[in-house]
Amino acid sequence: MTQQLPDFEALQHSVKPEDFETDPLPGWAGVATLFGAPTTSMSQVDVGPDGWVVSGIPFDATASSRPGAAEGPRAVRQASLVFSSYLTSLGEWPMLDTRSGHTFRYRAPKVADAGDLHVYPTDTVRTFQAVAAESRRLSQAAPHLIFLNGDHSATFPTFAGFRAGRLDRGAERVGFINIDHHFDFGNWSTLHGPLYHGSNSRRISELPGVRAEDIAFVGVGDVTKYDQFRGLLERGFHVVPGAQILKEGAATALRPVIQQLSERCDTVYVSLDIDVLDSAVSTGTGHVTLGGIDTGALLDIYEELRALPVGAVDIAEVAPRYDPSGSTAQIAAHLLFNFLFRTESTASGLAPWSDGGAGDAREDR
């Protein structure tokens, strides 16, 4: 039996372009801005009182094992497009997180993508000058910032610029949380000198006016010098190892840090090195991690961080060339989506979570 072709000439004249404008695109289509957000320029930032401005720093010139994190910002943006239609399709419904047992709603703060900041692949100092200056300009204008960083060295200038912009606006103390398998508290690299992916936390701690008690290391799990670890504790830095989070749960392990930073700091910058996750979970990064935390623990960490006055977040070290599946970039995009767009999170009261489930260990908010 011969199948007749539809009359395409008649079909194309039976619709208008406007009929398709509100339909979502598949996750691999669309302009690759974060969550499909409109673009903006640094000189014309307008995202309202609770919005977020995104910028990328595609720089990995201080990589010492596996380069490729410069490709991370574009990969995370592309991966985020799969979430572009969630807010319109699910935003009106109360949602249940069946992992934690909490209910929540999606909200839609305004997001705009400012593109990438200036980088100079063979000149680390000039890159850091440009990134710090442009980050400061964004921090002066936008209520919240997202940085899609390359290798973790870029967090030094993005934090420095963000902090300077907040001080310009009247803030007195800016906290810093480093979610990472490593401390990144090195002082010198034979390959790169004092500015590299393993020194960003130390350089941040040396900025004028930054206090040790305003800095927290969360998720650490690699080996480190015994004297360095003891010295960090003696100086007042907060340290929450990954093993403690897995043993006690994020709510219990992070409670002292969140309480103290909430009391001391006007705003907090949160930096994530994706290698805090075990490499069995997240292969697309420059450093192979053994014994890292799992994605559930990382989701719980970010849920607890909602209690802080977070003004900026970054995600660093996503290197998509080592993850053909694309899952590492998807993990990064999913984390950002949950942190930005979930709200009204409360215990559901439903069994089994109401009978001692993990979701009840967290304080309702």
Side-chain angles (χ1 to χ4, degrees):
M1 183 177 179
T2 303
Q3 184 176 7
Q4 281 194 321
L5 290 173
D7 185 348
F8 189 75
E9 183 66 22
L11 285 174
Q12 68 172 321
H13 293 297
S14 67
V15 295
K16 305 183 295 296
E18 293 78 12
D19 294 338
F20 310 99
E21 285 182 350
T22 60
D23 288 350
L25 291 166
W28 58 87
V31 179
T33 60
L34 193 70
F35 306 122
T39 59
T40 188
S41 67
M42 285 189 291
S43 61
Q44 295 179 328
V45 171
D46 181 15
V47 289
D50 67 342
W52 294 76
V53 173
V54 184
S55 60
I57 298 86
F59 177 82
D60 64 2
T62 80
S64 18
S65 55
R66 302 199 297 178
E71 302 157 7
R74 178 170 294 184
V76 174
R77 285 182 170 112
Q78 185 67 48
S80 77
L81 295 181
V82 73
F83 303 104
S84 299
S85 64
Y86 274 36
L87 294 178
T88 54
S89 63
L90 299 176
E92 63 184 287
W93 303 102
M95 307 298 294
L96 173 68
D97 187 332
T98 57
R99 189 186 66 84
S100 67
H102 275 58
T103 61
F104 67 94
R105 288 184 181 271
Y106 287 117
R107 65 189 179 99
K110 194 171 181 180
V111 179
D113 197 319
D116 292 337
L117 307 186
H118 285 88
V119 299
Y120 301 86
T122 60
D123 192 336
T124 300
V125 172
R126 184 163 177 78
T127 293
F128 284 16
Q129 287 178 304
V131 169
E134 292 176 329
S135 298
R136 182 176 188 173
R137 188 177 184 183
L138 288 172
S139 181
Q140 291 168 337
H144 305 93
L145 296 177
I146 300 169
F147 297 107
L148 306 176
N149 286 354
D151 76 47
H152 213 178
S153 69
T155 293
F156 173 43
T158 53
F159 174 84
F162 168 77
R163 179 174 179 269
R166 285 305 192 258
L167 295 180
D168 293 338
R169 294 172 56 168
E172 295 183 2
R173 296 178 71 164
V174 179
F176 176 67
I177 296 179
N178 190 54
I179 306 172
D180 196 335
H181 194 60
H182 314 91
F183 284 98
D184 288 355
F185 211 77
N187 188 43
W188 185 270
S189 163
T190 303
L191 290 174
H192 304 294
L195 299 175
Y196 69 107
H197 64 89
S199 71
N200 43 284
S201 293
R202 179 185 286 267
R203 299 287 88 91
I204 285 171
S205 74
E206 294 168 344
L207 290 169
V210 172
R211 299 170 172 89
E213 61 266 27
D214 295 342
I215 296 178
F217 299 96
V218 174
V220 288
D222 202 7
V223 298
T224 191
K225 293 178 181 177
Y226 177 86
D227 288 342
Q228 175 176 279
F229 188 93
R230 184 177 61 182
L232 290 171
L233 294 179
E234 290 173 349
R235 290 172 58 188
F237 292 93
H238 305 275
V239 180
V240 186
Q244 181 183 357
I245 294 169
L246 294 176
K247 179 181 179 181
E248 300 177 359
T252 300
L254 292 174
R255 186 173 294 121
V257 172
I258 289 175
Q259 180 178 347
Q260 292 181 47
L261 293 187
S262 296
E263 294 171 352
R264 292 173 178 158
C265 299
D266 301 293
T267 187
V268 176
Y269 181 116
V270 178
S271 177
L272 170 66
D273 186 329
I274 203 69
D275 76 13
V276 75
L277 294 171
D278 194 276
S279 286
V281 173
S282 174
T283 62
T285 186
H287 299 273
V288 175
T289 297
L290 300 179
I293 65 173
D294 58 32
T295 53
L298 189 56
L299 285 169
D300 289 341
I301 289 169
Y302 274 82
E303 187 64 23
E304 296 307 316
L305 294 181
R306 293 179 184 279
L308 289 169
V310 175
V313 296
D314 78 35
I315 291 185
E317 297 287 356
V318 174
R321 66 176 67 174
Y322 306 113
D323 182 5
S325 74
S327 63
T328 305
Q330 282 281 340
I331 289 169
H334 204 159
L335 278 170
L336 286 174
F337 182 81
N338 284 349
F339 190 71
L340 265 63
F341 299 124
R342 283 194 181 195
T343 189
E344 301 176 20
S345 179
T346 59
S348 65
L350 298 172
W353 305 281
S354 59
D355 299 325
D360 290 331
R362 208 165 35 231
E363 181 180 340
D364 295 348
R365 51 181 173 269

